Amino acid sequence: MTEDVGNGQAVVQLTAVRKEYGESVALDGVSLEIHAGEAVAVMGPSGSGKSTLLSMVAGLDRPTSGSVVVHGDDLGTLDEKGLALFRRRRIGMIFQFFNLLDDLSALDNVALAAQLTGTSASQARKRALELFEELGIAGRRNTYPSQLSGGERQRVAVARALMNRPAILLADEPTGALDTKAGEQVMDLLLDLNQIGQTLLLVTHDQQLATRCASRVIEFVDGQIAGERSLERTS
Amino acid sequence: MSAVWPVSRAAVRRRRIQTLVIGVVVLLSTTMIVVALGLLAASSGPFDQAYTKQHGAQLLASYDRTKVTDAQLTDAARSAAAVAGPFGQATVDVNTGGPATSLVLVGRADPAGTVDRLNVWKGRWADKPGEIVLNRNPTDSTGRGTPTLGSAMTVAGNNKLTIVGFAYSVSQSADAWVTPAQMTALKPTSTQMLYRFAHAATNAELTAGQNGVTAGLPSGALIGTQSYLALRAAAAGEPNTFVPFLMVFGWLGLAVAVLIVANVVSGAVVAGFKHIGVLKALGFTPSQVMVVYLGMVSIPAVVGCAGGVVLGNILATSLLTRAFENYGAEGIGVPIWVDVAALLGVPALVALSALVPALRARSLSAAQAISAGSAPQSGRALGVQRWLGGTRLPRSVSLGLGLPFARPGRTALTLAAVVLGVTSVTFAVGLGKSLTTYQTAASRVGAVDVTMFGGLKGNGPPPQGEGAPPVAKLTDAQDEALLRSTPGASSVAASAEVPMRMVGASTDLRVSFYRGDFQQVGFRIIEGKWFDGPGQVVVSERFLRQHGLAVGDTVVLQAQDKSVRVQIVGKALYNSGDEVLSNWQTLALVAPNQRASIYEITVKPGTDLDTYVSAVQAKDSGLLETDGQDAGSFVTIVLATVVLLTLMLGTVAALGVFNTVVLNTRERRRDLGMLKSIGMTPAQVTVMVVTSMVALGAIGGLLGIPLGMIAHRVVVPAMANGAQVEIPSFMLNVYPASLLALLILAGIVIAAAGAYVPARAAAHTTIAKVLHNE
């Protein structure tokens, strides 16, 4: 599902990234690369810097020092508008608590991402419906988030993340708020996506999610990379 | 309750912006209310106090001595509750070495009595011929040229009088007093009687009293009267002009304050569900929780109210002192009950508006509160969102338009604040237009193209030597002919101004006698007609009110040794209460040799004024061009006040919007973060948030305009009544369609102005943490 960058090329490059929040150091000289088609899981205890890393890659926050390059864009050189356009074109994000707009139907939540790029409402809904069908939730398209199950909400969130064909899909504890069955379904979905070429960066506490979906696991402790290992997928 | 206070204080600190908004809004509205109520309560207080202290005359009457004797007057006065007089009275010329003036002089043996007890505040009363006591307010300035104690003045030809004292009459019964013997020597022309009646609260009661004391007197004996109600109305004129619109602005401000407070507390309750749940879990009783939320708004409300009371007192005292300086205005201020009412009433009103949402906080169960999210419930106005999502509007705009439907209660409160803001702007614009139109018409600004000074008043020898003003070289008739024949002239009106007195009143009058094209000089007749024969005058509404007269009445005017009985044939639109308009035929009865001093000329379109004036002055270099009429300062002061109050109320309404947007963006920070995470730019976020309020602004404009127009219709006539002027109905029709279209923009501007800053702040918030944590 990626474009421009072929498999094997670095989609994400972090070089000596440091992030401070006042006195505390969230990231301390982190350097890493993620290649096209990879599924990377970042693991570690609470406060180890996993989510901060995700924010850096998504352009939601800026490093105190160091550089972040995603799909050829040096995020340090982009202003607020540039970062917004970058996220729109290159990034898809899914969150532990879904972050869907309660006022919009499931379909409109997903279509919204395309409409922001200037796509007409009808085109956006058409593309959203295709994704709904691919993800098996077409029957729930006109339902509002509060009426969906956790797993369905996360599928809607995934559909929204994929709407603009992102270079990398970022997932922050995507199964953290789901029951076992729903979590399994989401894991399958992510695995499927990666198998058709979608680059993934997962932040998770869930060892099972990491081993099932990721080809590489990076361990974080106190804002630093404490270890890295490649995995054989269990599925 | 010891646990409640720190929690309330912490809530205030946590919501600094809302606390500031409430404090400022309450301060501004309290200030306006205190000023308005203070002026209303004290508008006639100083005059009444001074009048009571002096046992002031409720009716001052002048009688023709040739038609009625003192004995007849004394006999007829038995129906009055108290009476002073008969006193001999004359209007005499005075020569103090300065410009010629005249005085209403009354012969009185002593300053005491049952009516009009004079306050001899400097020197002593006149006790022998050759002495005079002048009527002067102790607070009057004593600049250069003011008569001093012991100095002499020559009156009525060659009578030299020494100033032995200064007294003050609130009744304005005379300009000066002498002994009865001295008055006899000066040959009084009329007799003065001063009355108090058992009932004199209204004009009808005064008229009844007057009928009682004049019953049986010869016809034509009564030649003039002065009512204390007219003096009272004149004294209260300025504050009474301010009261109506200050009241409107004050109540509008308070209404906006109530809406904002209700909005803030509702928002705090909605956003603070978890906080409420935690408090209850800790053991706070439902009532304590309610008190926390009431305290949160009461603290800034009390502080704002106290500040508003102080500021209102300062402003009201300044206005009252200015208005009542002639009545010994030291110490005049806002009555204490106004301060107490404001200090108790405004915070109570604020607390009441917070009560409903606070009760909601009280009734929430702890479990329900802790588990509740801050996001709006689903199912609300979702159809609107869906419809908007399918339109061709940019998505940031369509999302913004849908936001108000998520919280209809808050939207209604915000809309009401915008409506009140637009009402204020509409009212203020109309008021400004009406006042400006009135002032332009009343002061005749721009009515004539050229005004030329023709030289001295009267016919005395022209002043000689260096520095003496130039005088007209030609005769009055030749000058008028010259002005008419000079190319470009369209109309020429000539006038002479003569200082006169109306018998029965002690105020000086300026009577302007016109000839020629006087109908072209800008006066507008609003009742009756222009003069068309001798013995006719046209006056202003204020003149009629101050003297208790009406069109059709007859009065006697005096100048020097001449009296002329004139009929009021019309009422013209102008401000002055001491200016009378008449014609040349009437002047011939008073000063037949007087020449015109002023020529007012209108020219044909395209005429160059400089060329015209040069052509005139080439033939009479003594004719000088002078400045035309200028608008008075009072309307300017009122307009400045209106503009200031409108800006204040507009700001208050914008603060209401600001507050709503702050609440909305805080509640929706997760949504905003998500939108930014999928690529919404800061500009799009700003557009979305501002759009959500702009739609309210447009609706607020549509609703607020008619309310403002109604306020204008009610307040402007009330102000005119207070100011003792009449505003013709056409001056109330000040809202053309183009203006109404612009006024709708006022709502949009208020909404956009209030929304922009929090929208920008929302657009630039860091979103990472919001998104990662529930």
Side-chain angles (χ1 to χ4, degrees):
Chain A
M1 284 203 174
T2 56
E3 56 186 20
D4 300 333
V5 178
N7 276 3
Q9 289 184 280
V11 178
V12 176
Q13 280 180 302
L14 272 71
T15 309
V17 170
R18 182 177 174 84
K19 179 65 184 176
E20 296 168 5
Y21 294 108
E23 296 287 300
S24 73
V25 179
L27 292 179
D28 187 7
V30 173
S31 297
L32 67 85
E33 285 190 356
I34 298 171
H35 298 278
E38 261 196 306
V40 177
V42 178
M43 299 189 71
S46 292
S48 60
K50 309 184 297 292
S51 293
T52 304
L53 174 76
L54 209 65
S55 296
M56 297 296 150
V57 176
L60 297 176
D61 208 347
R62 292 173 186 277
T64 308
S65 63
S67 76
V68 179
V69 178
V70 179
H71 203 267
D73 290 323
D74 182 350
L75 304 194
T77 64
L78 300 178
D79 60 10
E80 278 296 305
K81 186 180 177 184
L83 285 174
L85 298 178
F86 157 76
R87 286 192 293 270
R88 194 183 286 178
R89 295 189 196 114
R90 308 290 182 216
I91 299 292
M93 286 194 82
I94 52 178
F95 305 92
Q96 181 177 3
F97 295 104
F98 327 119
N99 289 332
L100 300 175
L101 292 182
D102 297 324
D103 300 337
L104 300 183
S105 68
L107 189 72
D108 283 344
N109 259 286
V110 175
L112 181 65
Q115 284 179 281
L116 281 176
T117 65
T119 308
S120 70
S122 58
Q123 282 295 317
R125 282 178 175 165
K126 190 177 167 198
R127 158 86 178 135
L129 197 54
E130 286 168 13
L131 282 168
F132 269 58
E133 280 165 2
E134 284 177 32
L135 298 177
I137 48 174
R140 307 292 276 158
R141 62 181 180 276
N142 291 325
T143 312
Y144 287 89
S146 63
Q147 298 162 324
L148 296 170
S149 69
E152 287 171 333
R153 285 190 221 183
Q154 198 60 294
R155 280 168 183 260
V156 173
V158 170
R160 182 180 64 193
L162 297 176
M163 190 67 183
N164 292 329
R165 298 180 176 87
I168 183 165
L169 184 62
L170 307 177
D172 188 0
E173 302 284 6
T175 59
L178 301 176
D179 58 37
T180 310
K181 189 180 171 195
E184 296 252 341
Q185 288 172 342
V186 170
M187 281 186 228
D188 288 342
L189 176 60
L190 293 176
L191 188 58
D192 289 347
L193 288 169
N194 181 241
Q195 282 175 346
I196 58 171
Q198 176 67 56
T199 311
L200 285 178
L201 175 59
L202 309 174
V203 164
T204 183
H205 280 100
D206 186 345
Q207 185 69 41
Q208 192 196 356
L209 173 66
T211 52
R212 187 152 165 200
C213 298
S215 53
R216 184 155 60 112
V217 173
I218 298 173
E219 295 283 347
F220 261 68
V221 176
D222 294 336
Q224 294 179 319
I225 297 175
E228 192 174 335
R229 58 199 159 96
S230 296
L231 296 172
E232 283 296 319
R233 285 177 179 149
T234 57
S235 57
Chain B
M1 296 294 267
S2 59
V4 170
W5 174 243
V7 176
S8 289
R9 221 174 36 190
V12 167
R13 276 201 302 268
R14 199 167 57 247
R15 296 177 176 79
R16 285 200 186 88
I17 293 173
Q18 276 94 347
T19 300
L20 186 69
V21 168
I22 292 174
V24 170
V25 170
V26 171
L27 181 137
L28 294 179
S29 48
T30 307
T31 302
M32 288 184 270
I33 288 288
V34 168
V35 173
L37 285 179
L39 291 184
L40 190 65
S43 64
S44 55
F47 178 84
D48 290 343
Q49 286 162 19
Y51 224 74
T52 304
K53 199 172 167 187
Q54 288 199 355
H55 272 235
Q58 288 162 340
L59 182 71
L60 188 155
S62 297
Y63 295 93
D64 188 338
R65 291 176 75 84
T66 63
K67 292 185 175 167
V68 63
T69 65
D70 287 359
Q72 284 175 302
L73 289 172
T74 305
D75 188 48
R78 276 180 303 185
S79 66
V83 64
F87 303 129
Q89 178 178 268
T91 301
V92 297
D93 300 330
V94 181
N95 184 359
T96 54
T101 57
S102 64
L103 289 178
V104 172
L105 205 54
V106 166
R108 241 175 110 159
D110 68 80
T114 53
V115 181
D116 195 27
R117 291 173 187 164
L118 304 175
N119 167 27
V120 183
W121 54 274
K122 191 172 186 184
R124 60 173 174 79
W125 192 251
D127 56 15
K128 60 179 181 287
E131 294 178 344
I132 187 169
V133 175
L134 299 183
N135 183 9
R136 194 204 290 169
N137 190 317
T139 61
D140 283 354
S141 59
T142 51
R144 202 170 134 263
T146 309
T148 53
L149 202 64
S151 63
M153 57 199 308
T154 305
V155 303
N158 209 16
N159 296 286
K160 197 168 186 179
L161 302 174
T162 303
I163 300 167
V164 296
F166 290 97
Y168 178 54
S169 168
V170 180
S171 306
Q172 293 298 307
S173 57
D175 294 324
W177 297 270
V178 294
T179 62
Q182 178 65 69
M183 177 48 68
T184 305
L186 291 171
K187 297 187 175 53
T189 54
S190 56
T191 303
Q192 183 186 74
M193 293 292 288
L194 308 172
Y195 306 102
R196 286 181 70 87
F197 302 111
H199 303 286
T202 63
N203 279 323
E205 288 176 343
L206 265 182
T207 304
Q210 181 181 319
N211 291 341
V213 296
T214 54
L217 295 179
S219 167
L222 180 67
I223 54 176
T225 59
Q226 178 177 283
S227 151
Y228 89 107
L229 291 177
L231 287 178
R232 192 171 185 258
E238 186 166 321
N240 282 346
T241 309
F242 280 93
V243 165
F245 74 88
L246 280 177
M247 289 296 277
V248 167
F249 278 116
W251 289 118
L252 282 172
L254 211 53
V256 177
V258 165
L259 292 170
I260 289 176
V261 166
N263 207 355
V264 166
V265 181
S266 305
V269 171
V270 170
F273 273 6
K274 281 194 175 151
H275 180 241
I276 292 166
V278 170
L279 290 180
K280 290 192 171 179
L282 284 173
F284 275 66
T285 65
S287 295
Q288 282 178 317
V289 171
M290 186 182 75
V291 171
V292 166
Y293 279 83
L294 285 179
M296 191 180 79
V297 290
S298 297
I299 294 168
V302 167
V303 172
C305 178
V309 167
V310 172
L311 199 58
N313 272 264
I314 292 169
L315 291 174
T317 303
S318 162
L319 279 168
L320 287 168
T321 304
R322 182 187 130 110
F324 290 111
E325 58 191 356
N326 291 333
Y327 299 95
E330 309 85 37
I332 294 178
V334 175
I336 189 74
W337 69 262
V338 171
D339 291 344
V340 172
L343 283 170
L344 295 178
V346 173
L349 197 59
V350 168
L352 200 64
S353 62
L355 193 60
V356 175
L359 282 172
R360 188 179 173 199
R362 182 182 186 277
S363 62
L364 278 173
S365 77
Q368 184 190 357
I370 286 178
S371 61
S374 61
Q377 300 299 303
S378 63
R380 190 175 287 167
L382 302 174
V384 176
Q385 282 285 18
R386 179 175 290 178
W387 176 77
L388 285 166
T391 63
R392 289 179 178 275
L393 290 169
R395 199 62 180 110
S396 51
V397 172
S398 60
L399 277 173
L401 289 173
L403 283 179
F405 297 94
R407 287 218 174 277
R410 180 177 299 164
T411 299
L413 289 172
T414 311
L415 179 62
V418 175
V419 167
L420 292 178
V422 175
T423 301
S424 306
V425 172
T426 305
F427 167 58
V429 168
L431 181 59
K433 280 192 76 181
S434 287
L435 287 182
T436 308
T437 309
Y438 173 81
Q439 185 67 358
T440 303
S443 62
R444 302 192 290 127
V445 172
V448 295
D449 299 311
V450 183
T451 303
M452 302 208 77
F453 182 60
L456 290 174
K457 299 166 185 174
N459 295 298
Q464 303 293 323
E466 205 171 318
V471 294
K473 305 286 187 289
L474 305 177
T475 67
D476 185 12
Q478 287 171 327
D479 273 332
E480 185 182 344
L482 166 64
L483 291 165
R484 285 188 185 284
S485 62
T486 302
S490 173
S491 72
V492 177
S495 65
E497 187 181 292
V498 178
M500 298 187 84
R501 291 296 183 109
M502 188 173 77
V503 173
S506 60
T507 48
D508 291 309
L509 296 178
R510 293 176 291 116
V511 184
S512 295
F513 295 95
Y514 276 91
R515 69 165 194 265
D517 305 315
F518 58 84
Q519 295 186 24
Q520 306 300 318
V521 299
F523 288 112
R524 186 190 293 263
I525 292 288
I526 52 177
E527 188 183 342
K529 63 181 181 72
W530 277 110
F531 28 70
D532 53 10
Q536 295 182 355
V537 294
V538 167
V539 297
S540 66
E541 171 74 11
R542 183 173 285 171
F543 176 92
L544 292 174
R545 290 213 200 185
Q546 288 182 356
H547 299 286
L549 296 166
V551 173
D553 286 351
T554 299
V555 296
V556 177
L557 299 179
Q558 291 182 328
Q560 301 172 5
D561 55 347
K562 297 277 180 58
S563 290
V564 57
R565 190 176 282 270
V566 296
Q567 187 185 26
I568 300 169
V569 296
K571 179 168 71 177
L573 184 67
Y574 62 94
N575 277 329
S576 174
D578 57 14
E579 185 177 0
V580 173
L581 309 178
S582 189
N583 54 8
W584 212 256
Q585 293 148 294
T586 306
L587 179 65
L589 303 174
V590 182
N593 297 321
Q594 183 91 17
R595 70 159 291 158
S597 53
I598 297 288
Y599 299 96
E600 291 171 89
I601 303 115
T602 59
V603 298
K604 292 169 186 161
T607 304
D608 182 73
L609 295 180
D610 289 336
T611 307
Y612 178 84
V613 170
S614 299
V616 169
Q617 289 179 332
K619 292 186 177 163
D620 187 347
S621 60
L623 283 178
L624 297 180
E625 187 183 7
T626 67
D627 292 335
Q629 301 290 329
D630 63 343
S633 63
F634 183 69
V635 166
T636 310
I637 292 169
V638 173
L639 284 175
T641 312
V642 168
V643 169
L644 184 68
L645 292 176
T646 307
L647 285 176
M648 280 163 66
L649 265 181
T651 305
V652 163
L655 282 175
V657 175
F658 173 88
N659 175 61
T660 295
V661 176
V662 168
L663 290 173
N664 283 347
T665 51
R666 276 190 188 166
E667 276 178 29
R668 290 185 163 268
R669 61 190 188 283
R670 190 177 59 92
D671 292 351
L672 291 171
M674 185 282 296
L675 287 168
K676 288 178 77 172
S677 78
I678 62 170
M680 191 174 253
T681 63
Q684 285 175 313
V685 173
T686 306
V687 167
M688 180 183 72
V689 176
V690 171
T691 302
S692 70
M693 291 295 115
V694 163
L696 287 189
I699 298 168
L702 288 172
L703 297 176
I705 289 171
L707 291 176
M709 290 170 75
I710 291 168
H712 171 263
R713 277 278 169 177
V714 172
V715 170
V716 172
M719 284 177 68
N721 189 46
Q724 301 180 321
V725 298
E726 183 173 330
I727 292 196
S729 58
F730 77 90
M731 290 186 183
L732 296 175
N733 300 327
V734 291
Y735 294 104
S738 55
L739 179 61
L740 293 177
L742 275 177
L743 284 170
I744 293 176
L745 279 180
I748 294 172
V749 168
I750 286 171
Y756 183 71
V757 172
R760 288 272 299 171
H764 290 92
T765 45
T766 306
I767 52 178
K769 278 192 177 175
V770 175
L771 291 174
H772 295 310
N773 300 298
E774 180 69 336

